[in-house]
Amino acid sequence: MSRVFRVPVAPARSGGVRRYDTTERPSAESAPARAGIVAGVLSPHPPHLIYAENPPQNEPRSTGGWEVLRWAYERLRKRIREVHRPDVLIVHAPHWITMVGHHVNCVPNPRGVSVEPIFPHLFRYSYDFRTDVELGEAIADEATDLGLVTRKLHDPRVRVDYATIGALHLVNPAWDIPVVSLSANNNPYFYSEASLEEMEVLGEATRRAVERTGRRAVLLASNSLSHLHWHEEPELPEDMEREHPYNNHQYRWDMKLLEAIRRGPTAPLRELITEHIEATASETKAGSLTWMLAAMGWPQVPGDVMGYGTIIGTGNAVVEWTPEGGHRG
Amino acid sequence: MADTGIVAGALLPGMPHLLAEKPAQCWADLAAAAREVGDRLRRLKPDVVLLLSTQWFTVLGHQFQCDPNPRGEHVDENWYAYDYGELRYDLRFDVPFTERWTDHVNKAGMQARRTRYDGFPIDTGTIVTSALLDPDRELRWAQVSCNLYADAETLADVGAAGAAAAREAGVRAAVVVVTGLSSGLIQQWIEPHSDHVSDPGHDRWNRRVLDLLTAGKVDEVLKIREDFARQAQADSQFRALAFAAGAGATAGPAQLHAYGPLWGTGGAVLSWNLP
């Protein structure tokens, strides 16, 4: 037998007791009472957005660019801090590609430098964050119980990918909210699509785990929309003269999807997401958006499209859903 | 055999299972075949080995590794729980030759991008291949990424640019492509002994392609490549073969050293014109 499980599971905790310092979460007086999934966000991750922001964690420097999307993220950050005040951010990202099964990062404190193999000139990011291990393990257990092939990652040496870091940084650059990150079960070596049916199950598992552990969670679907893009890059990556939709077909399909999101409810999106993938090679084929909306029970509400823009020709939108449809902040 | 330019070629899978401490017999056979190809490749004493691994996939232009000595540890993001998911590497790249190759790619109207960054994640396929072919680090590599969206003809042009660079430099070069055949993974955690090609149809396609290659009919394989990609989920649409052919590394019948399953995918070790 060649399998060797090397790293022990993090120490078990007594049920119902939170692991984080009280300084890291809202005070008892101000904390909202309701647990569960309090918001879901379509939160695209192209490394250009972090590169353009010049945070101290990222080594390359830029002159800016893609401001409209970054301003949308700024408004979202304010909502998350002032309105949603989550205990945890749960992210599903398409660039932690796992060829077999759905994996959950259960490393308590992932840290290191993530050099992005496709955009190394834009993204060399020093990460250091905390995982809500109890919730991560609960999601993996629920997914297993529901019949999915799963695995819990306990090896801290596995590099965290840029789609996970990207969405988390853009939503919470202070990194002061615990995290659970989920992989995308996909095959990188041919043009495959995630099983959206399985993503519905993973969403259900996520919802059950959040409720069982009593967390107040914001979900992040780390996906771009239309995904055809330029194959070459200008000398100045942030040259905005060169930034526009790949073509009008891609743009119109993105608008068709976003108009349906703005109208609500979300149930018709089930079919439309599939059509949008077919028409635009949308990155939602990795399943993150379907996972998130399924976890929220396909809410009967419109989404709030906070911003849209293209990045090397791909379509990207920051969209927020809340269970009741109220958007504040 | 040419005095300079491309003198030999090889194709092999990059799945880390080939390095398992307790492998399935089919994994061990593939690994032994790769080691044999490595022995014969080193006997040729090529000045440089042009390398393309489908597991270093990119989307902007064609990236070339320009770090002369990447070294470190790579823990595979899928196979980390197994002994073979933990990989160490210490690679030697011929940067002056790589620069020459990038110049040829640019001259051909394509975008070549130089990559040299501390901590750059070397892909699993490259590490596995170098460990099997060149355990004592005698070879000098020149590597280009596999652009996800480049068509087969473009990758053939990138290979041809490498061959032109070798002729211009007056060096003897070999070509190694790291690619699987069918890529239908078994979506379960299996024991090694239960490995099998996940779909009989994929197995039939793999054998058809191998029969043609060992008969020296690489052009026929390139003609049916898209069907192979669609019907057997061929690894990166089997464009790695187009790269090798474009470089001129697939002249004559291939020698098939091994074929077998790797977690449901198909893997083969092939060589051309090795002594």
Side-chain angles (χ1 to χ4, degrees):
Chain A
M1 189 162 122
S2 61
R3 64 169 51 183
V4 177
F5 295 96
R6 291 183 301 264
V7 182
V9 173
R13 303 175 52 252
S14 57
V17 180
R18 306 297 302 279
R19 70 176 57 242
Y20 301 103
D21 295 339
T22 53
T23 55
E24 297 169 343
R25 53 192 164 112
S27 67
E29 291 77 19
S30 62
R34 196 174 70 79
I37 296 169
V38 295
V41 181
L42 179 61
S43 46
H45 59 258
H48 307 70
L49 296 176
I50 289 179
Y51 165 71
E53 190 177 287
N54 289 316
Q57 298 99 325
N58 198 35
E59 186 186 339
R61 297 290 98 182
S62 77
T63 59
W66 302 281
E67 276 77 4
V68 175
L69 275 167
R70 293 196 287 123
W71 294 338
Y73 266 118
E74 285 181 11
R75 292 196 302 281
L76 177 65
R77 291 169 187 172
K78 188 173 163 61
R79 284 187 192 175
I80 286 176
R81 299 202 75 79
E82 297 180 0
V83 179
H84 302 315
R85 291 183 286 179
D87 301 323
V88 62
L89 301 170
I90 309 175
V91 59
H92 185 277
H95 295 296
W96 177 15
I97 301 172
T98 51
M99 294 186 280
V100 180
H102 304 270
H103 298 220
V104 183
N105 190 334
C106 296
V107 176
N109 178 204
R111 59 185 181 276
V113 178
S114 186
V115 178
E116 211 289 306
I118 294 177
F119 302 99
H121 57 305
L122 304 182
F123 194 86
R124 302 190 296 278
Y125 188 100
S126 297
Y127 61 92
D128 182 348
F129 62 89
R130 287 164 301 109
T131 298
D132 185 337
V133 176
E134 182 185 358
L135 176 59
E137 293 189 338
I139 293 172
D141 290 341
E142 293 284 356
T144 301
D145 289 348
L146 289 170
L148 296 182
V149 176
T150 60
R151 177 143 280 168
K152 299 170 185 172
L153 167 66
H154 294 291
D155 192 326
R157 297 170 300 172
V158 173
R159 177 179 62 90
V160 177
D161 66 283
Y162 78 94
T164 298
I165 294 171
L168 289 167
H169 173 97
L170 291 161
V171 166
N172 177 37
W175 290 93
D176 55 356
I177 302 169
V179 166
V180 173
S181 89
L182 311 178
S183 77
N185 173 220
N186 215 323
N187 186 332
Y189 308 130
F190 71 101
Y191 298 145
S192 67
E193 295 173 3
S195 159
L196 296 187
E197 292 77 17
E198 284 200 12
M199 300 314 295
E200 296 249 10
V201 179
L202 187 63
E204 171 67 15
T206 302
R207 184 189 60 74
R208 290 186 186 186
V210 167
E211 292 175 355
R212 176 155 66 84
T213 56
R215 298 297 196 266
R216 189 174 167 83
V218 169
L219 309 190
L220 309 178
S222 178
N223 283 162
S224 295
L225 296 179
S226 62
H227 214 238
L228 297 183
H229 55 73
W230 317 125
H231 296 172
E232 297 185 354
E233 188 178 62
E235 190 170 341
L236 182 70
E238 62 268 36
D239 183 350
M240 290 296 104
E241 182 185 345
R242 304 279 293 274
E243 190 59 80
H244 57 85
Y246 186 83
N247 60 33
N248 193 47
H249 170 84
Q250 300 283 101
Y251 177 80
R252 292 308 332 162
W253 263 99
D254 281 351
M255 292 307 111
K256 183 175 181 177
L257 182 71
L258 292 173
E259 284 166 1
I261 287 171
R262 282 161 51 85
R263 275 195 308 272
T266 59
L269 298 179
R270 268 196 173 107
E271 190 172 339
L272 191 54
I273 286 171
T274 304
E275 293 173 8
H276 181 254
I277 290 169
E278 186 69 24
T280 69
S282 171
E283 199 181 33
T284 57
K285 68 187 175 189
S288 311
L289 179 58
T290 299
W291 157 78
M292 184 181 75
L293 292 172
M296 298 180 74
W298 295 92
Q300 300 288 316
V301 297
D304 184 8
V305 179
M306 301 178 72
Y308 175 85
T310 64
I311 298 176
I312 61 169
T314 66
N316 294 271
V318 179
V319 184
E320 180 204 53
W321 286 267
T322 61
E324 304 85 6
H327 303 284
R328 294 178 290 159
Chain B
M1 188 176 292
D3 291 333
T4 63
I6 305 300
V7 297
L11 179 153
L12 64 161
M15 293 280 272
H17 308 68
L18 272 61
L19 299 177
E21 289 173 6
K22 294 181 180 175
Q25 187 59 50
C26 50
W27 305 353
D29 291 345
L30 286 162
R35 290 190 178 96
E36 182 202 344
V37 165
D39 291 343
R40 292 167 61 179
L41 179 61
R42 293 194 308 281
R43 215 175 294 150
L44 258 182
K45 296 191 182 302
D47 297 302
V48 64
V49 180
L50 280 58
L51 177 65
L52 178 142
S53 165
T54 60
Q55 295 183 43
W56 181 18
F57 51 90
T58 58
V59 301
L60 291 176
H62 306 279
Q63 283 179 219
F64 287 83
Q65 182 55 259
C66 290
D67 184 340
N69 182 206
R71 58 190 180 280
E73 179 184 60
H74 169 66
V75 180
D76 187 275
E77 61 271 26
N78 189 82
W79 307 109
Y80 52 81
Y82 300 91
D83 60 81
Y84 49 81
E86 180 180 335
L87 303 162
R88 293 195 165 275
Y89 59 94
D90 183 354
L91 304 167
R92 305 291 194 275
F93 285 94
D94 184 337
V95 176
F97 177 82
T98 304
E99 295 277 358
R100 189 186 292 271
W101 188 3
T102 63
D103 290 343
H104 276 268
V105 167
N106 282 326
K107 277 183 207 162
M110 300 174 281
Q111 187 180 59
R113 303 166 63 84
R114 293 167 173 81
T115 298
R116 182 176 179 176
Y117 299 102
D118 288 342
F120 183 85
I122 303 296
D123 68 278
T124 293
T126 293
I127 298 170
V128 169
T129 297
S130 64
L132 291 167
L133 296 188
D134 187 34
D136 296 323
R137 299 189 294 279
E138 297 169 29
L139 299 173
R140 294 295 175 268
W141 304 95
Q143 185 174 20
V144 65
S145 68
C146 181
N147 186 304
L148 272 180
Y149 303 113
D151 57 29
E153 291 72 23
T154 300
L155 285 191
D157 289 343
V158 173
R167 288 191 297 272
E168 180 186 80
V171 300
R172 298 169 71 248
V175 172
V176 169
V177 292
V178 183
T179 180
L181 301 176
S182 63
S183 66
L185 286 144
I186 296 171
Q187 284 297 328
Q188 295 289 334
W189 302 114
I190 61 170
E191 293 300 324
H193 63 81
S194 65
D195 202 355
H196 60 282
V197 176
S198 62
D199 183 320
H202 291 185
D203 187 43
R204 284 193 295 275
W205 259 105
N206 292 337
R207 292 177 188 278
R208 178 182 175 192
V209 164
L210 293 173
D211 285 347
L212 288 168
L213 290 174
T214 53
K217 297 178 179 176
V218 69
D219 288 343
E220 285 194 34
V221 176
L222 293 174
K223 280 180 191 164
I224 62 171
R225 185 190 57 78
E226 290 188 7
D227 282 344
F228 178 39
R230 274 192 296 269
Q231 297 184 37
Q233 303 176 0
D235 182 348
S236 299
Q237 300 80 49
F238 211 41
R239 291 172 299 141
L241 180 72
F243 169 85
T250 58
Q255 181 176 352
L256 176 63
H257 301 265
Y259 164 68
L262 287 162
W263 213 282
T265 70
V269 178
L270 293 160
S271 69
W272 288 266
N273 301 311
L274 284 178

